[in-house]
Each structure stands twice: as structure tokens, then as C-alpha cells.
Amino acid sequence: MSSPRPARGILDTSTVILLARMVDATALPPEPLITAVTLAELSVGPLVARGDAERAARQAHLQQAEADFDPLPFDAAAARAFGRVAASLRRSGRKASARSYDAMIAATALANELPLYTCNPSDFSDFSDIDGLEVVAVPHPGESGR
């Protein structure tokens, strides 16, 4: 028997982007949250898009996230938690700078004692040894029925 899902949880950037395509809302927390880091990551998208259609789609994701969520800040507690996340990356032979968005989102989840929901759990596999960080895999909408 599985444990009840937490009432609140942080969605990573990949999950926010895929929200409109989700077919099983029960895979998400009843009260989904995002971080200011996710908004920062989404803000880059339109600026680096290669074409007008891609730019428009990325701008729409950003605007929808801004309308739907009041993001959790990357505050002093998250900054302290980031040290644990960066140390975990270093122990696994990775550089924190290469994974800075994911590391900061994980640190915000850790600081707020919230699970982190992601459609790309492999993005957070290097953080598996961090006590208190719960990463919840969300089925990728493009992989259902495979």
C-alpha cells in the first residue's frame, strides 16, 4: 500500500512545462508549488528560442506559470540547503554549476521540507543521498501507453 501523497509539493521546470499535457492529475500534489528558480529558468526560454513559434510557446509557458503560481523564493534557508546539494553533486563527480537550476530547485524543496515532483527524475539522481530530499517521479505525458 502506498503512502498518501503530501498536500503540497514543488514542481520542477520540466513538470511545469508539461502541465497542460498531463493526463493523470493524481500524480501531482493537490497543492502544486513552484520556485522562483523555475520562473528564472522559464524566463530564459523565449530569449534563446530559435524561431518565432518556439519563442511564442516558451513565452506562453512563462506567462502561464506567472499567472498560476506564487513562487517560493530562493531565500537564506534555500541558500544554506544549496550547500548540501552542491556537496552531493561534488561527491558524485559533477559540478554544481552545470546543474545550477536543478540544484537550486532541490535546495528550495529541501529548505521548505517539501517533496519535489519531476517528469525527469534522472535530473535529480545525483541528489539521492541527501537526507530529507524526496524526489517524486511524475509520469511523462509523452510516455503514457508505451
Side-chain angles (χ1 to χ4, degrees), residues 13-31:
T13 307
S14 69
T15 308
V16 171
I17 290 170
L18 294 169
L19 271 177
R21 295 176 42 205
M22 293 284 172
V23 293
D24 182 10
T26 64
L28 300 173
E31 185 182 345

Side-chain angles (χ1 to χ4, degrees), residues 60-72:
H61 285 300
L62 171 61
Q63 289 173 320
Q64 193 66 55
E66 289 173 331
D68 290 346
F69 297 99
D70 184 19
L72 294 172

Side-chain angles (χ1 to χ4, degrees), residues 2-146:
S2 64
S3 61
R5 63 186 170 143
R8 300 171 73 211
I10 293 176
L11 308 182
D12 79 326
T13 307
S14 69
T15 308
V16 171
I17 290 170
L18 294 169
L19 271 177
R21 295 176 42 205
M22 293 284 172
V23 293
D24 182 10
T26 64
L28 300 173
E31 185 182 345
L33 306 167
I34 67 168
T35 70
V37 177
T38 290
L39 278 186
E41 192 171 7
L42 290 172
S43 295
V44 174
L47 300 173
V48 299
R50 294 194 175 125
D52 290 341
E54 182 181 353
R55 184 175 297 101
R58 289 179 177 199
Q59 186 66 36
H61 285 300
L62 171 61
Q63 289 173 320
Q64 193 66 55
E66 289 173 331
D68 290 346
F69 297 99
D70 184 19
L72 294 172
F74 187 83
D75 57 11
R80 285 188 296 278
F82 181 80
R84 292 172 55 199
V85 174
S88 177
L89 283 171
R90 182 174 276 187
R91 282 191 298 275
S92 69
R94 310 275 307 262
K95 292 185 180 183
S97 60
R99 305 281 308 283
S100 59
Y101 292 128
D102 291 340
M104 292 173 78
I105 292 168
T108 304
L110 195 57
N112 287 278
E113 299 179 348
L114 293 168
L116 175 60
Y117 288 74
T118 180
C119 289
N120 294 324
S122 63
D123 289 351
F124 298 92
S125 62
D126 290 332
F127 310 141
S128 62
D129 67 339
I130 299 173
D131 286 337
L133 180 62
E134 179 186 359
V135 177
V136 179
V138 175
H140 193 289
E143 294 175 358
S144 61
R146 282 188 185 175

